[in-house]
C-alpha cells in the first residue's frame, strides 16, 4: 500500500475480501477509489497488497476464492499480455488456466499457457500431480500456438499451498519439500513445454515464499530465483548476472532485489553490489524518475549496512519501468534524450552520494510509445568505459520468444552522422579499470580518470543551481550552452620530442603514474567556454609515487599552463618520491664475513663473482677485483648503480625540478591543488608551493608516514597520518584553505574557486550576468557600534529568527571564506559584487581562540589555548592577510579590505613571533597589487595607528582608494588614548571653569571657595571627560578624513554596494583600456592611466557633455587627471565601453603614432650613411 500508516493485517485482509466479493468499495486517504467487485481496477491499483491474495486462495466463499486467484494471476503477469483467465477444477483442486504473451514490440511473442493450482496441503500435489499434468496437456492442445514446438519450453505451472500448517518454518526445509513435489513434474514437464514450476507457500499473516524450478536445471531449484515473484526474475534480467556468484541481501520492497555479487573467475576481487528493481509508477516524466532513483539509493544505503554489502567495491543499479511512456510530441528519440538529461541532472545533483555508495553504473529501462510503435529504450550512466557515469541511450531489440534483448544499439543522437553501435553481453567480470577503481577507493580516493566525470557532473550542477537561483529571483534565465559542457583531451609526453601530445585512449592505458588533460568547461561565468590544465596522480600506478617519468609529465603540463596562461589544477594523491632497489641483484649478491665460519662476526664486504659481474650491463655496479687465497676472483662491490632509471636520487632531482616549476607556476598563472587519499613528501610540497589547497577530510598531507616516525623514535607514539597532516593540522596552520568531505565536494569547491578567476592570466575578471541579487539594493545587515556581531553576516547576509533574510554587502550566496581556522582575527575569502568577483579581507570583532596542538612525540608538549582580541592583527592573522592579498593579486581579482583594526599586537610573545615582519608583508603585497583595491572602514569600525599605515592608499596610489563609512572612525589613537596625552585632567578642569556658571561664580574668590570648587569639579568630572572624549572623537570622523584628502569619499553603508559597484566598474573599464593601450603602444610616452583620462574627456566632449570643455584633455597631466576623476563613476564606466568601434579606432591610431614615434627615434639615432641606406631600402620596397 502507498499509505504511510498501514492498518492491521486483519483489517486489510477483510477489506480485500469485501472488495473481491463485491460487497463494498474502497477509497484511500490519497483519493484512489476502487468500486466493489471491480477486479480489473484492483489489478492495476497501487493499493493492492498482492502478497495478501494467497491467503484467500482457500477462502470459504467461492466467489472470493476465485476472484483472489484471478486477480493474483493478472497482477503477477500485468507486464505481459494476459488472455482468458478461467477457473476450473482438476482432481478436486481449484485451478486457474490462462494464456499470455510477452509484451515485446515490435515483434509478436508466441502464445503461452499457464496454470495455477491450489491445494490445502503440499501432499495433495504429490498425489494429484499426474492428473494435473494430464489435464495440463489436454488444455495445452487446445491453446497451442503456431510453431510452439520450435520455441522450446515456454509455459508455466504455479502450485500454491493454502494450509499454513503444511508450510515448514525453515526456508530451506520448505524448499526441499517443494522440490520433492517439483521432481514429480520432471517426467512430463518437457511434454508440457514447462519453462518453470513455481511453488508458492505461505503462512497466515506472513509474506508468501516463492520457489522456482526451471527446465534449464532439469526442474531443480534455481537459487537465483528464490523469493522472486513468478515473473520478477525475467523483468529483473537476472540471467545477465551469470558471471557472478550471488548472495541475496534482504530488502523491505519485494520489487527490489539487492545482491552481493562475487566474480566467478577465481580471482580475489572484492564483490560488487547489484541492485535490481521494477517499478509500475506512471509518473516517470513528472518527477517519478527522480523519486525512483532516490529510493534505489536509499536501498543501497541500507545494503551497505549489511556485512555482506559493506565490503563491496562497486555498485550497479538496474531499474525496469513497466508502464509505457507517451512520447513527447510523438518523438521517441527526443523523449529518450529528455529522460537521459534528467538522469544526468540527477547524477550531478547526487554525485556525492553516488560516489559514497560507489555507484559505477545506472540502467533505466523504459518503453516509449510513439506514433505506430513502442520503442524499448535503455538509458545508461556507466563508468565501465572509463569516464565516471557517462550517459548513453540504447534501443533494445527483443527476442519474441524469451522476451530478452538480443542487442542494444545506440539511439537518440541528434547527430545523424553518428554510426549505430550495438552490443549485448552479460555483465562483464571487472577488468583493469574496475580493479584500479577499487584500488583508489581502498586508499580513500577516486580513480583519477573518474574525476573527469565528476567535473562534468559538477559543471552541470553549477548550471542547474544558477538557473534555479535566477528563476527564484524572477530574473531572466539563460539556457545551458549547446553541446557538451565539459570535454577533456589527454596530454601525453612524447619521449622523443619532450613535448605534450594530445591523444585519445581508454582509461587505464597510461604507463606513467601522472596524467594530464586540457579541459574545456562551459560555465555560467564563461558560457562560451574556458580552458584549464588538469594534472593528477594515478594512485593505482606504483601507489602514485613520483619517479622521473612522473616528474617529466608534471613539469611539461605545468609549463604548458604557464606558457598559455591557463589555470593549473592539480589532484594530489600520491606516496611521495619513488624508492627502489636493483631487484635483479638481490638474488646475485654474495657476502663475505669477518670470520667466514661465524656469520655473527659481522659483514666484511658484498661481492659478485667475475662471471656474475661480466654478465651485468656495463656501469650497473662499481666494484674492485679481489683475488682470494683459494684462487676465486671476486668483485667487491662499493656502489650499486643499476640499469633502471628512477629508483633513488634521480627521483629526488626530479622532485626538485617540479618543486621549482610549481613555484614559478604560482607566480605566473592560477594554481589550485586538491588533496585526496593522501599526499606525501614532494606531493605535500607541491600543494603548498601552489599556495591554494583544498583538502579532503580523509586526505592527510605529510612528509613522513607515522610508522616511520615511530620507528625513528623507538616508540609507537603516533597512531594515524591525521596526527601529522590531517585537517586538524593543516587547516589551523594555514596550509589548507578549504576542507571538504568527499571528492565530489572537492571538485565542486575547485570549480567554484575557478569561477572567480579569469580564463587566462591578465584577462579581466569574469562578470556573472544575469545575477539573481540585483546590485541596486540596500545593504540590510548593519553593524552597530559597540554591539558584537559576526563579520560574515556583514559580508554575506544572514537570516533572522523568522527566516527573514538580511542581505550583506556581497551578492547573496556568493561569499566563500577561505583559511577559516588560521589567523582567526582576520576573515578572508572571495565574493561577488553585482556579479564581479572580488577578493575580500575583513576583521573579526570578537575574541577568538588560537590553539597550538600537543605533539605526541614530545612528552613535555601540551595543547596551548590563547585568547586573541578582535580588531587586532596578531602574527598569524597578519601573515594570513599578506598571503591572501598575494593570492588575490595573482588571481587577477579586485580587492576590498574592510579595515576595522585598532592596531597590531605588540607584546613580547607576538614581537618574538614576527608580527612586525608579517605586518610589513602586508605592505609588500599591496605595493605590487595590479587590480583595483578598495579600503573601506565599515560602520562602527575604526582604523588606528600602524594598522592605517599598512593599508593607506599611498602605498599603491595607482590602484588603491580608501573610503570611510559615515559611522566609522580613523586616527592615530582612540579617543580615550589621545585624551590621556592631549586632553588631560588639567585641560578638562579648565573646560569646567570656562563653561560652568557655578564654577565661574566660585572662581571670584578661589581661596575662600576652595572646598566648594573641588567638590564641584568632582561632580562635573565624568560629564566633562565625556565632552573631552566627544571632542577627540570628532577629530576621527569621516568629515575630517575627507577634508584632509585621506579618503576618496564618505559612504552610507546602506548605499555602499551601489556606490562601490559603480566605482569598481569604472576602475575595471579604465584598467582594461589601459591594458589595451599598453599593448598597442608598449613605449607609450605618458602613463596609460593619463592616456585613458584624456581619451575619456575627449569622448565626453564629443557626446556633448557640458561639463567638459574643448581642450580640457590637452592640459597638464595633474589637471587632466583631476578633471577626469571628477566625472561620475557610472558616466565614466559607460564612456569607456559604449562605442567599441570608436575605441578600436583610437587604439589603432595610438598604435600607429607609437610605431611612428619609435621609428623616428630609431632613424634619429642613425648617422648620415645609415639614413641614406634606409631611404634606398624604402624606395626599393
Amino acid at each position: 500500500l502507498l499509505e504511510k500508516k498501514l492498518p492491521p493485517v486483519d483489517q486489510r485482509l477483510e477489506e480485500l475480501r469485501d472488495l473481491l466479493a463485491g460487497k463494498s468499495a474502497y477509497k484511500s486517504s490519497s483519493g484512489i477509489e476502487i468500486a466493489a467487485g471491480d477486479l480489473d481496477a484492483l489489478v492495476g491499483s497501487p493499493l493492492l497488497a498482492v502478497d495478501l491474495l494467497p491467503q484467500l486462495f482457500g477462502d470459504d466463499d467461492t466467489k472470493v476464492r476465485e476472484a483472489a486467484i484471478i486477480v493474483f494471476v493478472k497482477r503477477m503477469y500485468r507486464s505481459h499480455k494476459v488472455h482468458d483467465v478461467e477457473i476450473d477444477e482438476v482432481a478436486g483442486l481449484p485451478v486457474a488456466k490462462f494464456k499470455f504473451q510477452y509484451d515485446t514490440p515490435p515483434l509478436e511473442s508466441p502464445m503461452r499457457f499457464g496454470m495455477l493450482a491450489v491445494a490445502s496441503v503440499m501432499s495433495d500435489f504429490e498425489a494429484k500431480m499426474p492428473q494435473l499434468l494430464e489435464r495440463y496437456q489436454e488444455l495445452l492442445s487446445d491453446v497451442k500456438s503456431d510453431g510452439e514446438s520450435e520455441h522450446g519450453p515456454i509455459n508455466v505451472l504455479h502450485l500454491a499451498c493454502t494450509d499454513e500448517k503444511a508450510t515448514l518454518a525453515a526456508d530451506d526445509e520448505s524448499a526441499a519439500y517443494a522440490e520433492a513435489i517439483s521432481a514429480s513434474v520432471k517426467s512430463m514437464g518437457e511434454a508440457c513445454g514447462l519453462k518453470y514450476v513455481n511453488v508458492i507457500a505461505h503462512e497466515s499473516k506472513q509474506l508468501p515464499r516463492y520457489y522456482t524450478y526451471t527446465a534449464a536445471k532439469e526442474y531443480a531449484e534455481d537459487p537465483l530465483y528464490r523469493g522472486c515473484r513468478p515473473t520478477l526474475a525475467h523483468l529483473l534480467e537476472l540471467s545477465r548476472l551469470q558471471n557472478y556468484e550471488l548472495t541475496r541481501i534482504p530488502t523491505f520492497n519485494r520489487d527490489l532485489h539487492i545482491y552481493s555479487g562475487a566474480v566467478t573467475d577465481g580471482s580475489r576481487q572484492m564483490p560488487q553490489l547489484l541492485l535490481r528493481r521494477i517499478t509500475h509508477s506512471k509518473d516517470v516524466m513528472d518527477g517519478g524518475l527522480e523519486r525512483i532513483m532516490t529510493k534505489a539509493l536509499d536501498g543501497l544505503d541500507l545494503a551497505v549496512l549489511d556485512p555482506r554489502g559493506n565490503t563491496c567495491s562497486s555498485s550497479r543499479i538496474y531499474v525496469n519501468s513497466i508502464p509505457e511512456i507517451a512520447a513527447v510530441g510523438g518523438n521517441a528519440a527526443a523523449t529518450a534524450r529528455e529522460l537521459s538529461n534528467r538522469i544526468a541532472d540527477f547524477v550531478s545533483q547526487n554525485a556525492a552520494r553516488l560516489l559514497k555508495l560507489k555507484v559505477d553504473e545506472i540502467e533505466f529501462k523504459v518503453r516509449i510509445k510513439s506514433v505506430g510503435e513502442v520503442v524499448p529504450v535503455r538509458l545508461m550512466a556507466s563508468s565501465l568505459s572509463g569516464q565516471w557515469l557517462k550517459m548513453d541511450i540504447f534501443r533494445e531489440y527483443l527476442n519474441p520468444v524469451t522476451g530478452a534483448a538480443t542487442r542494444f544499439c545506440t539511439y537518440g543522437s541528434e547527430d545523424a552522422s553518428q554510426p549505430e553501435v550495438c552490443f549485448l553481453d552479460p555483465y562483464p567480470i571487472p577488468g583493469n579499470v574496475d580493479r584500479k577503481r577499487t584500488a583508489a577507493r581502498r586508499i580513500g580516493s577516486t580513480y583519477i580518470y573518474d574525476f573527469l566525470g565528476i567535473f562534468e557532473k559538477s559543471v552541470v550542477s553549477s548550471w542547474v543551481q544558477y538557473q534555479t537561483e535566477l528563476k527564484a529571483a524572477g530574473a531572466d534565465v539563460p539556457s545551458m550552452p549547446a553541446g557538451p559542457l565539459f570535454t577533456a583531451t589527454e596530454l601525453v609526453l612524447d619521449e622523443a620530442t619532450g613535448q605534450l601530445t594530445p591523444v585519445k585512449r581508454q582509461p587505464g592505458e597510461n604507463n606513467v603514474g601522472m596524467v594530464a588533460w586540457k579541459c574545456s568547461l562551459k560555465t555560467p561565468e564563461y558560457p562560451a567556454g574556458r580552458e584549464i590544465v588538469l594534472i593528477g596522480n594515478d594512485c593505482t600506478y606504483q601507489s602514485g609515487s613520483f619517479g622521473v617519468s612522473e616528474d617529466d609529465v608534471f613539469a611539461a603540463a605545468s609549463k604548458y599552463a604557464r606558457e598559455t596562461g591557463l589555470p593549473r589544477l592539480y589532484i594530489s594523491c600520491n606516496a611521495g618520491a619513488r624508492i627502489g632497489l636493483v631487484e635483479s641483484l638481490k638474488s646475485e649478491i654474495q657476502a663475505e664475513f669477518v670470520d667466514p665460519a661465524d656469520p655473527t662476526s659481522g659483514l666484511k664486504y658484498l661481492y659478485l663473482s667475475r662471471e656474475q659481474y661480466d654478465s651485468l650491463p656495463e656501469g650497473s655496479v662499481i666494484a674492485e677485483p679481489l683475488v682470494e687465497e683459494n684462487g676465486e676472483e671476486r668483485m667487491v662491490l662499493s656502489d650499486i648503480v643499476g640499469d633502471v632509471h628512477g629508483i633513488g636520487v634521480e627521483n629526488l632531482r626530479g622532485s626538485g625540478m617540479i618543486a621549482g616549476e610549481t613555484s614559478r607556476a604560482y607566480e605566473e598563472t592560477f594554481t589550485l591543488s586538491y588533496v585526496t587519499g593522501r599526499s606525501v613528501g614532494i606531493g605535500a610540497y607541491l600543494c603548498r608551493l601552489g599556495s591554494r589547497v583544498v583538502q579532503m577530510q580523509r586526505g592527510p598531507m605529510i612528509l613522513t608516514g607515522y610508522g616511520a616516525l615511530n620507528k625513528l623514535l623507538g616508540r609507537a607514539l603516533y597512531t594515524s597520518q591525521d596526527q601529522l597532516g590531517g585537517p586538524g593540522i593543516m587547516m589551523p596552520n594555514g596550509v589548507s584553505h578549504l576542507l571538504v568531505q568527499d571528492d565530489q565536494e572537492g571538485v565542486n569547491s575547485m570549480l567554484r574557486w575557478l569561477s572567480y578567476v579569469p580564463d587566462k592570466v591578465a584577462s579581466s575578471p569574469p562578470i556573472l550576468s544575469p545575477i539573481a541579487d540585483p546590485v541596486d539594493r540596500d545593504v540590510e545587515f548593519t553593524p552597530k557600534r559597540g554591539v558584537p556581531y559576526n563579520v560574515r553576516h556583514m559580508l554575506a547576509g544572514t537570516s533572522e529568527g523568522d527566516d527573514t533574510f538580511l542581505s550583506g554587502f556581497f551578492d547573496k550566496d556568493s561569499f566563500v571564506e577561505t583559511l577559516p581556522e588560521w589567523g582567526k582575527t582576520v576573515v578572508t575569502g572571495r565574493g561577488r559584487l553585482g556579479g564581479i568577483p572580488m577578493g575580500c579581507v575583513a576583521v573579526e570583532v570578537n575574541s577568538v581562540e588560537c590553539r597550538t596542538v600537543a605533539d605526541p612525540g614530545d612528552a613535555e608538549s601540551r595543547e596551548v589555548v590563547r585568547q586573541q582580541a578582535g580588531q587586532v592583527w596578531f602574527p598569524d592573522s597578519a601573515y594570513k592577510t599578506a598571503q591572501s592579498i598575494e593570492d588575490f593579486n595573482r588571481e587577477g581579482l579586485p580587492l576590498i579590505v574592510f579595515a576595522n583594526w585598532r592596531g597590531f599586537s605588540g607584546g613580547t610573545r607576538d614581537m618574538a613571533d614576527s608580527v612586525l615582519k608579517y605586518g610589513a608583508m602586508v605592505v609588500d603585497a599591496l605595493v605590487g597589487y595590479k587590480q583595483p583595491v578598495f579600503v573601506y572602514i565599515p560602520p562602527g569600525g575604526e582604523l588606528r595607528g600602524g594598522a592605517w599605515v599598512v593599508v593607506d592608499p599611498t602605498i599603491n596610489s595607482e590602484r588603491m582608494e580608501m573610503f570611510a563609512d559615515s559611522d566609522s572612525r580613523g586616527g592615530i589613537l582612540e579617543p580615550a588614548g589621545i585624551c590621556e596625552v592631549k586632553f588631560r585632567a588639567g585641560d578638562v578642569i579648565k573646560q569646567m571653569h570656562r563653561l560652568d556658571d557655578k564654577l565661574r561664580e566660585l572662581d571670584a574668590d578661589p581661596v575662600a571657595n576652595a572646598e566648594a570648587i573641588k567638590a564641584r569639579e568632582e561632580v562635573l568630572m565624568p560629564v566633562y571627560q565625556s565632552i573631552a572624549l566627544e571632542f577627540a572623537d570628532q577629530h576621527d570622523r569621516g568629515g575630517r578624513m575627507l577634508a584632509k584628502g585621506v579618503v576618496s569619499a564618505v559612504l552610507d553603508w546602506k548605499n555602499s554596494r551601489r556606490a562601490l559597484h559603480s566605482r569598481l566598474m569604472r576602475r575595471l573599464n579604465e584598467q582594461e583600456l589601459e591594458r589595451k593601450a599598453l599593448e598597442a603602444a608598449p613605449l607609450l610616452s605618458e602613463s596609460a592611466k593619463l592616456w585613458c583620462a584624456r581619451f575619456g574627456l575627449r569622448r565626453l566632449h564629443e557626446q556633448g557633455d557640458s561639463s567638459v570643455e574643448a581642450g580640457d584633455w590637452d592640459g597638464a597631466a595633474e589637471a587632466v587627471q583631476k578633471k577626469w576623476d571628477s566625472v561620475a563613476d557610472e558616466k565614466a564606466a559607460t564612456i569607456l565601453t559604449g562605442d567599441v568601434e570608436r575605441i578600436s579606432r583610437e587604439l589603432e591610431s595610438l598604435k600607429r603614432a607609437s610605431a611612428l614615434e619609435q621609428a623616428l627615434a630609431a632613424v634619429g639615432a642613425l648617422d648620415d650613411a645609415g639614413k641614406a641606406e634606409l631611404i634606398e631600402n624604402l624606395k626599393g620596397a
Side-chain angles (χ1 to χ4, degrees), residues 499 683 755 856:
Q499 300 297 314
S755 71

Side-chain angles (χ1 to χ4, degrees), residues 275-312:
L275 182 145
R276 326 285 289 178
R277 74 161 295 180
I278 64 169
T279 177
H280 294 276
S281 299
K282 298 180 180 179
D283 61 346
V284 169
M285 296 294 292
D286 301 311
L289 185 148
E290 290 77 8
R291 184 188 68 254
I292 293 164
M293 293 304 305
T294 299
K295 287 186 176 180
L297 295 187
D298 293 342
L300 287 179
D301 277 329
L302 294 175
V304 297
L305 299 177
D306 190 288
R308 292 163 292 186
N310 62 14
T311 59
C312 293

Side-chain angles (χ1 to χ4, degrees), residues 420-489:
E420 184 181 64
V421 179
C422 299
F423 71 95
L424 178 64
D425 290 305
Y427 289 119
I429 292 173
N432 182 48
V433 172
D434 297 279
R435 287 190 287 271
K436 287 176 175 288
R437 191 173 282 126
T438 299
R441 286 169 177 165
R442 194 178 297 118
I443 293 171
S445 182
T446 299
Y447 184 42
I448 186 63
Y449 283 90
D450 286 348
F451 272 100
L452 300 179
I454 299 176
F455 268 95
E456 180 182 30
K457 308 305 182 288
S458 186
V459 173
V460 173
S461 182
S462 69
W463 271 103
V464 172
Q465 181 180 351
Y466 177 53
Q467 291 175 325
T468 301
E469 291 173 355
L470 290 176
K471 186 176 181 180
D476 294 334
V477 181
S479 301
M480 287 192 191
L485 298 180
F486 177 86
T487 58
T489 302

Side-chain angles (χ1 to χ4, degrees), residues 336-354:
R337 287 194 296 271
E338 180 179 341
L339 287 170
S340 178
N341 291 337
R342 288 176 54 187
I343 293 178
D345 290 343
F346 178 85
V347 170
S348 298
Q349 295 164 20
N350 296 272
R353 192 177 180 192
L354 291 164

Side-chain angles (χ1 to χ4, degrees), residues 466 469-470 752 756 766-779 792-798 805-816 830-838 898 1057-1058 1061 1064:
Y466 177 53
E469 291 173 355
L470 290 176
R752 185 162 190 187
Y756 299 104
I767 300 177
L768 186 62
S769 179
I771 54 175
D773 191 4
V775 69
D776 189 25
R777 65 157 172 82
D778 293 345
V779 182
R792 295 160 188 83
H793 297 166
M794 182 185 82
L795 303 175
T798 186
F805 184 75
L806 296 178
S807 59
F809 179 80
F810 288 116
D811 298 349
K812 185 179 180 182
D813 297 327
S814 74
F815 179 73
V816 178
R830 292 152 187 81
R832 280 194 171 83
L833 177 61
I836 306 172
M838 297 190 77
F898 289 98
R1057 179 176 160 88
R1058 300 182 186 91
H1061 177 265
L1064 181 57

Side-chain angles (χ1 to χ4, degrees), residues 330-643:
N331 189 330
T335 305
R337 287 194 296 271
E338 180 179 341
L339 287 170
S340 178
N341 291 337
R342 288 176 54 187
I343 293 178
D345 290 343
F346 178 85
V347 170
S348 298
Q349 295 164 20
N350 296 272
R353 192 177 180 192
L354 291 164
L355 281 170
K356 180 181 177 182
L357 293 171
K358 306 173 185 175
V359 176
D360 288 326
E361 188 169 75
I362 297 171
E363 292 181 84
F364 201 95
K365 183 177 179 179
V366 296
R367 298 188 303 158
I368 303 174
K369 188 173 184 179
S370 184
V371 179
E373 66 172 341
V374 176
V375 182
V377 171
R378 191 172 299 240
L379 310 164
M380 296 190 69
S382 178
S383 307
L384 302 184
S385 62
Q387 184 175 329
W388 186 66
L389 293 183
K390 180 179 179 294
M391 285 302 308
D392 287 297
I393 307 173
F394 298 97
R395 176 171 181 163
E396 296 183 337
Y397 293 89
L398 306 177
N399 185 313
V401 177
T402 64
T406 57
R407 66 188 191 279
F408 307 142
C409 298
T410 52
Y411 180 72
S413 174
E414 294 181 283
D415 185 357
S417 65
Q418 288 289 333
E420 184 181 64
V421 179
C422 299
F423 71 95
L424 178 64
D425 290 305
Y427 289 119
I429 292 173
N432 182 48
V433 172
D434 297 279
R435 287 190 287 271
K436 287 176 175 288
R437 191 173 282 126
T438 299
R441 286 169 177 165
R442 194 178 297 118
I443 293 171
S445 182
T446 299
Y447 184 42
I448 186 63
Y449 283 90
D450 286 348
F451 272 100
L452 300 179
I454 299 176
F455 268 95
E456 180 182 30
K457 308 305 182 288
S458 186
V459 173
V460 173
S461 182
S462 69
W463 271 103
V464 172
Q465 181 180 351
Y466 177 53
Q467 291 175 325
T468 301
E469 291 173 355
L470 290 176
K471 186 176 181 180
D476 294 334
V477 181
S479 301
M480 287 192 191
L485 298 180
F486 177 86
T487 58
T489 302
E490 189 169 359
L491 304 175
V492 175
L493 188 65
D494 188 325
E495 296 182 2
T497 64
Q499 300 297 314
L500 291 173
T501 305
V503 298
K504 288 185 178 181
R505 63 181 181 183
Q506 292 297 313
E509 293 183 359
N510 54 302
N511 57 359
V512 178
M514 187 73 67
V515 288
W517 295 272
K518 182 179 181 181
C519 305
S520 176
L521 305 82
K522 295 179 182 177
T523 65
E525 301 77 28
Y526 287 100
R530 68 177 303 167
E531 293 180 331
I532 63 171
V533 174
L534 178 63
I535 309 171
N537 297 106
D538 181 357
C539 62
T540 69
Y541 185 91
Q542 298 198 34
S543 300
S545 58
F546 289 83
V548 174
S549 298
E550 286 74 18
D551 297 334
D552 288 342
V553 172
F554 184 98
S558 181
K559 184 180 179 182
Y560 176 76
R562 284 194 296 114
E563 292 175 345
T564 56
L566 296 176
R568 194 206 78 176
L569 276 60
Y570 169 47
I571 298 173
S572 179
C573 181
N574 53 74
R578 185 172 300 155
I579 58 176
L581 297 171
V582 181
E583 298 294 329
S584 60
L585 281 181
K586 282 185 178 180
S587 59
E588 300 292 333
I589 58 171
Q590 302 184 55
E592 177 68 16
F593 300 99
V594 175
D595 181 355
D598 181 12
T600 62
S601 62
L603 176 68
K604 187 175 182 180
Y605 57 79
L606 296 178
Y607 71 93
L608 296 172
S609 68
R610 168 60 74 175
E611 292 77 10
Q612 289 173 315
Y613 178 80
D614 291 340
S615 68
L616 296 176
E618 185 177 354
S620 59
V621 297
I622 300 175
E624 294 293 332
L626 174 68
V627 178
E628 292 294 306
E629 293 180 0
N630 58 11
E632 180 189 11
E633 185 176 5
R634 298 178 176 179
M635 304 300 293
V636 179
L637 300 177
S638 62
D639 303 80
I640 298 176
V641 178
D643 58 349

Side-chain angles (χ1 to χ4, degrees), residues 103-119:
D103 197 357
T104 54
L107 300 174
E108 284 296 320
S109 172
M111 190 67 70
R112 303 158 191 268
F113 180 71
M115 176 185 285
L116 186 152
V118 179

Side-chain angles (χ1 to χ4, degrees), residues 230-252:
T231 59
L232 199 59
H234 166 70
L235 298 174
L236 294 179
E237 296 186 359
L238 296 185
S239 60
R240 293 189 66 209
L241 303 180
Q242 59 187 267
N243 284 337
Y244 294 89
E245 182 180 329
L246 300 176
T247 302
R248 177 92 177 269
I249 296 176
T251 60
F252 290 107

